[in-house]
């Protein structure tokens, strides 16, 4: 990183308790470098934001471009799957099979660099473990590469789950019910045995990525690491359990989880959704040994309101796993995109080569049944002509091709445990938006097609100035007739895109549903297809914030309100309720989390320290933008 001009060294003391987060948040939201905090108040420096740009994630994985990996996987699949007609063709395959074998992990004898130093008395508090956000339950390891094995098959799993520190030899183990390590845990419980767990920190950055990758069950993540690095991962046996860990890791934390022991209350934690994940009960991890390199560097990351470093780990997964999805699951997929504002699982855009009616629904069913894509909440399907990296182009496809009453499909299924909008934990609504051009069998319209073959309906007609006047008169009407509407953004309509953003202060039960009907049926919004509603504290003119809050707060099946067309010559409409849900107004029984912001005291401290830390040109705190959106209370909203 330093050789490539991608590293900043901070030599003065910075407190791992909140201060590091405040500095890193300013840099991560301004395309800043990786940071090495050299004075952490412990014996170890701390590296953070190491993956936090397209260039750095490529450096970490050893490629010039992330798409290079997908192309290589595609070539490998084609080579292995191609029919072999004779013995010569089969013999030509041997070098490729030999190369694959050379990437398999190997256990070597003796100790590794990760075991150069053995703590005489293991104490995880001697590491610079960060407390990231003001309402966090304590300090958390945020980049632990967690190694477990299935007690029946012996097959290894490598995952990444946060670990809250409760004492020198005790942490939580935050694995969700859907994760492979949790399945291993259940198997140990059936056998009435302690579960050995070993945690690697640092080492080759490819280990960190591999631990986050959505591999199928029973596929060794170190095999993926070997493929990416083009050399096998060397493993060594742990000192106090039988697991194997990367020989070149910076730290190894060995221990066990007792399946019959009472769980502990872990959290809250400022999570990648931009909201706190709330306190819940998880297993205890008991530390039996800590080893490290002589010159060990502690790796860390922060997550929170996007964009953060984790967005680039997600971007790597998006590009790397595109080829396997195309080759084995959905061959009509051309490309896919996970917008940063959709925080991975909330929003996915898929580009397909469409050839027959209903193909978007076929793709959706396949995607929702594929591994971690089962957690996807909103799937948008577009044609191959759409530039899915250009969100205006995507929005224009939605505006042009979607008939809300007919082209939006709802389902229910498993959701990410971190999704706070579901009425029931980890189970909620999903939505497919078919934004492909409609074939005759798929359309209810009897309108003439325009020259490009699309049904351009739901677009305000007139010149740009006339459309702007329409928006101004609408805002004037709204301000008089609907005082609960704080802000209305018609900018996208002026661009020829049939969507309006509205900030609204709810004050009664069924407020958004009733408001939606009135706006579509009694105002000039009857010329628009889509309204996205967000809370009154959200700036309706900040598109990124609107999409982030909407995709987090929406249960699509519960919170989408279709207004059907009166006949087959007119458009239909839909409103999406992206506001907070409460018991009083929405019969919502779960606790609602707060958004993540730094406290004023820490912001002030870093403002005052900035020049003395030699951090370069001053960057204001990103939390200043969102502090007015905070709810009363702490991690749990109470107002």
């Amino acid at each position: 990183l330093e050789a490539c001009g991608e590293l900043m060294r901070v030599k003065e003391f910075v407190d791992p308790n909140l201060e590091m987060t405040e500095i890193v948040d300013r840099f991560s939201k301004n395309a800043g470098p990786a940071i090495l905090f050299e004075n952490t108040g412990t014996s170890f420096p701390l590296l953070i934001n190491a993956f936090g740009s397209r260039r750095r994630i490529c450096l970490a994985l050893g490629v010039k471009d992330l798409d290079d990996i997908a192309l290589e996987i595609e070539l490998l699949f084609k080579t292995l799957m191609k029919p072999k007609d004779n013995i010569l063709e089969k013999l030509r395959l041997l070098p490729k099979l030999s190369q694959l074998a050379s990437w398999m992990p190997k256990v070597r004898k003796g100790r590794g660099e990760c075991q150069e130093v053995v703590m005489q008395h293991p104490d995880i508090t001697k590491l610079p473990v960060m407390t990231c956000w003001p309402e966090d339950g304590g300090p958390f390891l945020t980049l632990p590469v967690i190694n477990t094995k299935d007690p029946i098959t012996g097959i290894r799993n490598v995952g990444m789950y946060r670990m809250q520190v409760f004492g020198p030899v005790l942490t939580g183990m935050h694995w969700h019910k859907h994760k492979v390590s949790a399945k291993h845990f259940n198997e140990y419980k059936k056998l009435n045995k302690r579960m050995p767990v070993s945690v690697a920190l640092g080492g080759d950055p490819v280990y960190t990525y591999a631990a986050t990758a959505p591999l199928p069950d029973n596929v060794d993540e170190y095999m993926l690491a070997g493929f990416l690095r083009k050399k096998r991962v060397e493993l060594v046996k742990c000192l106090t359990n039988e697991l194997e860990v990367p020989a070149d890791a910076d730290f190894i934390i060995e221990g066990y989880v007792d399946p019959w022991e009472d769980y502990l209350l872990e959290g809250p934690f400022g999570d990648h959704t931009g909201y706190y994940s709330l306190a819940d009960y998880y297993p205890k991890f008991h530390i039996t040994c800590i080893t490290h390199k002589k010159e060990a560097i502690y790796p860390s990351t922060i997550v929170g309101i996007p964009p953060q470093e984790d967005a680039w780990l997600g971007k790597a997964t998006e590009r790397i796993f595109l080829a396997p999805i195309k080759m084995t699951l959905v061959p009509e997929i051309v490309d896919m995109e996970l917008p940063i504002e959709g925080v991975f699982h909330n929003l996915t855009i898929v580009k397909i080569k469409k050839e027959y009616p209903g193909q978007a629904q076929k793709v959706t069913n396949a995607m929702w049944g594929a591994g971690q894509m089962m957690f996807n909440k909103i799937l948008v399907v577009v044609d191959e002509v759409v530039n899915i990296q250009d969100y205006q182009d995507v929005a224009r496809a939605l505006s042009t091709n979607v008939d809300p009453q007919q082209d939006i499909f709802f389902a229910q299924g498993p959701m990410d445990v971190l999704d706070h909008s579901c009425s029931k934990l980890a189970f909620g609504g999903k939505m497919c938006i078919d934004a492909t051009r409609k074939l005759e069998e798929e359309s209810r319209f009897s309108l003439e097609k325009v020259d490009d073959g699309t049904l351009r309906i739901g677009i305000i007609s007139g010149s740009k100035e006339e459309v702007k006047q329409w928006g101004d008169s609408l805002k004037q009407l709204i301000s008089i007739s609907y005082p609960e509407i704080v802000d209305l953004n018609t900018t996208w309509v002026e661009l020829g895109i049939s969507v309006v953003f509205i900030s609204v202060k709810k004050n009664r039960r069924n407020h958004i549903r009733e408001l939606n009907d009135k706006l579509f049926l009694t105002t000039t919004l009857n010329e628009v297809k889509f309204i996205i509603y967000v809370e009154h504290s959200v700036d309706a003119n900040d598109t990124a914030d609107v999409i982030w809050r909407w995709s987090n707060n929406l249960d699509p099946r519960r919170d989408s309100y279709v207004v059907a067309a009166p006949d087959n010559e007119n458009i239909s409409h839909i409103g999406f309720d992206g506001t907070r849900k409460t018991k009083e107004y929405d019969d919502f029984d779960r606790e609602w989390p707060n958004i993540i912001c730094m406290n004023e005291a820490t912001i002030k401290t870093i403002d005052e320290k900035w020049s003395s830390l030699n951090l370069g040109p001053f960057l204001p705190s990103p939390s200043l933008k969102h502090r007015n959106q905070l709810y009363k209370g702490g991690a749990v909203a109470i107002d």
Side-chain angles (χ1 to χ4, degrees):
L1 288 169
E2 192 158 45
C4 295
E6 291 283 346
L7 183 72
M8 171 185 288
R9 290 178 180 264
V10 179
K11 299 183 181 299
E12 300 298 321
F13 171 71
V14 178
D15 196 333
N17 181 17
L18 302 183
E19 289 186 6
M20 287 182 181
T21 295
E22 178 57 21
I23 291 171
V24 175
D25 195 31
R26 299 185 192 202
F27 279 102
S28 64
K29 288 186 170 56
N30 288 279
I35 302 174
L36 185 70
F37 290 104
E38 296 185 340
N39 187 344
T40 63
T42 73
S43 301
F44 307 103
L46 181 149
L47 177 66
I48 195 167
N49 207 29
F51 300 93
S53 71
R54 182 176 293 275
R55 187 184 187 204
R56 293 202 292 281
I57 190 65
C58 288
L59 286 171
L61 300 182
V63 294
K64 291 183 178 179
D65 189 273
L66 293 174
D67 285 327
D68 294 346
I69 302 172
L71 291 173
E72 186 175 1
I73 293 173
E74 191 166 350
L75 180 61
L76 180 63
F77 267 66
K78 287 178 178 177
T79 301
L80 296 175
M81 295 168 65
K82 181 181 177 182
K84 310 299 182 290
D85 296 329
N86 55 57
I87 189 66
L88 287 178
E89 288 190 356
K90 292 177 181 178
L91 288 173
R92 289 191 190 104
L93 189 62
L94 291 178
K96 180 59 69 177
L97 296 175
S98 177
Q99 186 182 32
L100 285 171
S102 73
W103 300 334
M104 298 297 287
K106 179 182 179 181
V107 180
R108 78 185 198 197
K109 294 181 179 180
R111 293 191 178 185
E113 306 92 286
C114 64
Q115 296 162 329
E116 288 174 338
V117 179
V118 181
M119 277 193 186
Q120 188 173 3
H121 302 288
D123 184 350
I124 199 170
T125 65
K126 293 186 181 298
L127 278 58
V129 185
M130 293 173 61
T131 299
C132 298
W133 297 103
E135 302 302 329
D136 281 2
F140 284 84
L141 280 73
T142 53
L143 284 180
V145 176
I146 296 172
N147 297 261
T148 63
K149 278 188 177 180
D150 187 308
I152 307 299
T153 66
I155 295 175
R156 177 178 24 247
N157 181 70
V158 183
M160 184 169 289
Y161 323 106
R162 74 190 191 217
M163 298 168 61
Q164 182 176 346
V165 174
F166 289 94
V169 292
L170 181 64
T171 79
M173 189 58 73
H174 186 93
W175 49 44
H176 294 166
K177 65 180 73 175
H178 306 102
K179 303 301 183 181
V180 177
S181 289
K183 295 178 183 177
H184 291 179
F185 175 73
N186 289 332
E187 291 301 321
Y188 276 97
K189 191 168 186 176
K190 292 176 187 175
L191 296 171
N192 197 24
K193 288 184 177 180
R194 282 182 175 179
M195 176 179 180
V197 180
S198 288
V199 179
L201 296 169
D204 192 321
V206 77
Y207 308 149
T208 300
Y209 171 70
T212 71
L215 290 173
D217 292 5
N218 302 329
V219 174
D220 192 333
E221 285 77 8
Y222 290 135
M223 183 177 69
L224 172 64
F227 165 74
L228 293 172
R229 190 58 78 227
K230 299 300 177 287
K231 65 177 182 181
R232 68 172 80 248
V233 176
E234 290 196 335
L235 306 171
V236 292
K237 284 283 184 68
C238 289
L239 303 184
T240 60
N241 64 37
E242 294 302 310
L243 298 175
E244 301 97 13
V245 290
D248 61 340
D250 282 76
F251 296 87
I252 299 296
I253 305 167
E254 303 175 15
Y256 66 88
V257 176
D258 186 341
W260 294 104
E261 191 174 21
D262 288 341
Y263 289 6
L264 47 66
L265 187 64
E266 185 260 16
F269 176 72
D271 229 309
H272 74 269
T273 59
Y275 291 74
Y276 285 96
S277 57
L278 302 182
D280 205 347
Y281 289 91
Y282 284 90
K284 297 174 181 176
F285 173 62
H286 297 275
I287 298 170
T288 55
C289 182
I290 298 177
T291 66
H292 60 84
K293 289 179 178 177
K294 288 180 180 177
E295 301 295 331
I297 295 173
Y298 175 81
S300 189
T301 191
I302 62 168
V303 290
I305 295 175
Q308 298 284 11
E309 178 179 7
D310 62 316
W312 294 103
L313 290 165
K315 184 59 64 174
T317 290
E318 171 198 296
R319 306 322 301 164
I320 291 171
F321 284 85
L322 175 62
I325 289 173
K326 288 166 60 177
M327 298 289 291
T328 64
L329 189 68
V330 197
E332 56 265 70
I333 286 184
V334 177
D335 202 357
M336 62 186 290
E337 171 81 3
L338 302 175
I340 290 174
E341 293 80 10
V343 298
F344 308 128
H345 49 80
N346 283 343
L347 179 61
T348 301
I349 304 167
V350 175
K351 180 196 294 196
I352 68 169
K353 184 176 182 179
K354 183 172 178 177
E355 298 177 325
Y356 53 83
Q359 197 167 3
Q361 294 92 304
K362 178 260 186 185
V363 168
T364 299
N365 291 330
M367 294 287 282
W368 282 346
Q372 291 192 36
M373 278 302 297
M374 69 176 175
F375 299 130
N376 170 252
K377 183 190 291 188
I378 303 166
L379 187 69
V380 179
V381 185
V382 299
D383 293 299
E384 60 183 322
V385 296
V386 178
N387 178 4
I388 60 175
Q389 283 75 42
D390 180 344
Y391 298 154
Q392 276 196 19
D393 202 28
V394 174
R396 192 165 281 109
L398 267 76
S399 175
T400 303
N401 298 332
V402 175
D403 175 8
Q405 76 181 57
Q406 188 157 305
D407 300 331
I408 299 178
F409 306 91
F410 301 99
Q412 276 187 307
M415 301 299 295
D416 195 290
V417 171
L418 301 181
D419 192 309
H420 60 262
S421 69
C422 305
S423 297
K424 302 293 184 181
L425 177 67
F427 181 77
K430 299 173 180 290
M431 173 170 66
C432 162
I433 303 179
D434 178 2
T436 62
R437 294 188 187 186
K438 299 303 175 292
L439 301 176
E440 182 179 356
E441 298 89 338
E442 299 173 299
S443 179
R444 67 177 175 86
F445 291 102
S446 57
L447 301 178
E448 292 185 2
K449 294 183 177 180
V450 296
D451 292 340
D452 65 359
T454 61
L455 289 165
R456 294 192 62 81
I457 52 172
I459 307 295
I460 307 302
S461 60
S463 67
K464 187 174 181 179
E465 182 58 36
E466 288 172 330
V467 175
K468 188 176 186 307
Q469 289 175 359
W470 169 88
D472 291 341
S473 63
L474 177 65
K475 290 177 184 178
Q476 187 174 11
L477 169 68
I478 293 294
S479 66
I480 296 171
S481 303
Y482 300 94
E484 67 268 43
I485 294 179
V486 176
D487 200 3
L488 182 146
N489 178 6
T490 60
T491 304
W492 286 58
V493 178
E494 295 170 25
L495 298 172
I497 298 168
S498 192
V499 59
V500 168
F501 301 149
I502 291 179
S503 301
V504 59
K505 187 174 179 63
K506 292 198 299 189
N507 59 35
R508 62 183 182 273
R509 295 169 73 86
N510 298 320
H511 191 160
I512 301 299
R513 182 190 293 273
E514 293 171 1
L515 177 64
N516 188 67
D517 286 345
K518 288 180 181 178
L519 292 177
F520 277 133
L521 296 175
T522 66
T523 74
T524 53
L525 281 168
N526 62 6
E527 299 179 73
V528 172
K529 289 183 180 179
F530 304 97
I531 297 178
I532 291 178
Y533 300 92
V534 289
E535 293 160 40
H536 63 283
S537 58
V538 180
D539 182 358
N541 295 288
D542 188 329
T543 299
D545 255 19
V546 168
I547 299 303
W548 163 57
R549 296 298 293 271
W550 164 71
S551 64
N552 267 289
N553 294 348
L554 180 82
D555 181 308
R557 188 174 182 183
R558 184 193 64 212
D559 301 329
S560 300
Y561 307 131
V562 175
V563 177
D567 52 51
N568 285 344
E569 301 298 323
N570 287 281
I571 67 169
S572 59
H573 320 272
I574 191 167
F576 300 110
D577 181 1
T579 65
R580 174 195 169 191
K581 308 307 183 296
T582 65
K583 175 66 176 176
E584 182 180 7
Y585 296 149
D586 308 282
D587 286 326
F588 188 81
D589 290 319
R590 296 178 63 200
E591 292 180 320
W592 194 268
N594 223 327
I595 64 170
I596 302 167
C597 284
M598 188 52 68
N599 58 37
E600 293 177 336
T602 304
I603 293 172
K604 181 180 179 183
T605 296
I606 297 305
D607 285 351
E608 293 171 350
K609 282 186 177 182
W610 192 271
S611 59
S612 65
L613 294 174
N614 296 312
L615 298 172
F618 179 76
L619 298 172
S621 174
S623 291
L624 297 174
K625 173 183 174 181
H626 294 104
R627 283 196 59 80
N628 70 320
Q629 297 181 29
L630 282 169
Y631 307 111
K632 292 179 182 177
V636 179
I638 62 172
D639 63 337

